[in-house]
Amino acid sequence: MPHIPLPEHLPGITGLLEYRLDTALPIRELTQILLRGESTLSPGERELIAALVSFRNETRFCTAAHTKAADLLLGENETAWAVKQNFETAPISEKMKALLAIAALTQKSGKAVTPEAIERARLAGATDSEIHDTVLITALFCLYNKYVDGLASVTPTDPAYYQRLGERITRGYLRPEGGFPVPPKP
């Protein structure tokens, strides 16, 4: 049960963002820029970062949502699962492995990121912008994970919910004009 009253039809982060539209706006805009804006990393690769961080933070809602988004954007269901199990052996590029290693270190503590981790990413072909965005996406999802868990937002268990949510967030993170309609009572 959430620690504060939230819209019942909007579980997870969505209800929290609707609770405070003024604070939600800059967070949504930053997420839109980082995960859907121009980048040399694909939207699917950026969703892998979000899924890994959420998984390592043990935030079930965000893990399920961003795993599904990554699956949809990548067009398959194996890579995100493999990344969460062990990104070093996952079927991804060496550059993504190095960037996910930076994400894993950042998730523990920003101070855990070492010059060696950065050098590994650069040697694998990562740009400074990709390194920057990896750290910022990780920090943003640590914020989201703490937000969702700290206020005990509702975490649906139905996989169909995450299919619909994944489809929505593959299109972007900005609030739909007019908000989220309340479904009719059965």
Side-chain angles (χ1 to χ4, degrees):
M1 174 148 193
H3 296 310
I4 60 174
L6 297 171
E8 289 183 27
H9 69 292
L10 298 174
I13 192 73
T14 310
L16 294 169
L17 293 171
E18 285 296 293
Y19 181 81
R20 284 284 309 264
L21 294 177
D22 58 336
T23 59
L25 180 61
I27 294 171
R28 284 184 181 278
E29 289 174 342
L30 179 58
T31 307
Q32 181 69 21
I33 291 166
L34 287 172
L35 275 77
R36 295 294 176 272
E38 286 189 36
S39 177
T40 51
L41 296 176
S42 74
E45 290 171 325
R46 290 176 275 169
E47 287 291 344
L48 287 176
I49 297 168
L52 176 67
V53 171
S54 298
F55 178 76
R56 291 173 65 89
N57 282 330
E58 300 178 10
T59 303
R60 292 180 333 178
F61 178 87
C62 297
T63 300
H66 297 286
T67 296
K68 182 47 69 180
D71 290 348
L72 291 166
L73 289 164
L74 296 171
E76 44 87 358
N77 298 330
E78 294 80 32
T79 301
W81 182 87
V83 161
K84 292 182 299 184
Q85 302 315 302
N86 183 348
F87 60 85
E88 294 291 2
T89 60
I92 55 176
S93 69
E94 290 303 313
K95 178 174 84 170
M96 274 309 297
K97 289 177 185 180
L99 290 172
L100 290 170
I102 291 171
L105 291 167
T106 303
Q107 178 267 332
K108 289 180 192 173
S109 167
K111 293 180 181 184
V113 179
T114 63
E116 293 80 17
I118 300 299
E119 183 63 17
R120 174 186 175 195
R122 286 190 175 125
L123 289 173
T127 66
D128 287 346
S129 182
E130 291 168 337
I131 293 167
H132 170 276
D133 289 359
T134 296
V135 171
L136 189 51
I137 291 167
T138 302
L140 181 62
F141 276 86
C142 285
L143 174 146
Y144 274 146
N145 299 158
K146 291 175 189 323
Y147 193 28
V148 166
D149 290 340
L151 287 170
S153 68
V154 173
T155 299
T157 56
D158 181 5
Y161 172 82
Y162 294 102
Q163 178 69 34
R164 290 188 306 275
L165 180 59
E167 289 168 1
R168 187 179 85 217
I169 64 178
T170 60
R171 295 187 299 272
Y173 286 92
L174 300 178
R175 183 177 188 259
E177 191 169 319
F180 299 92
V182 178
K185 297 279 182 192

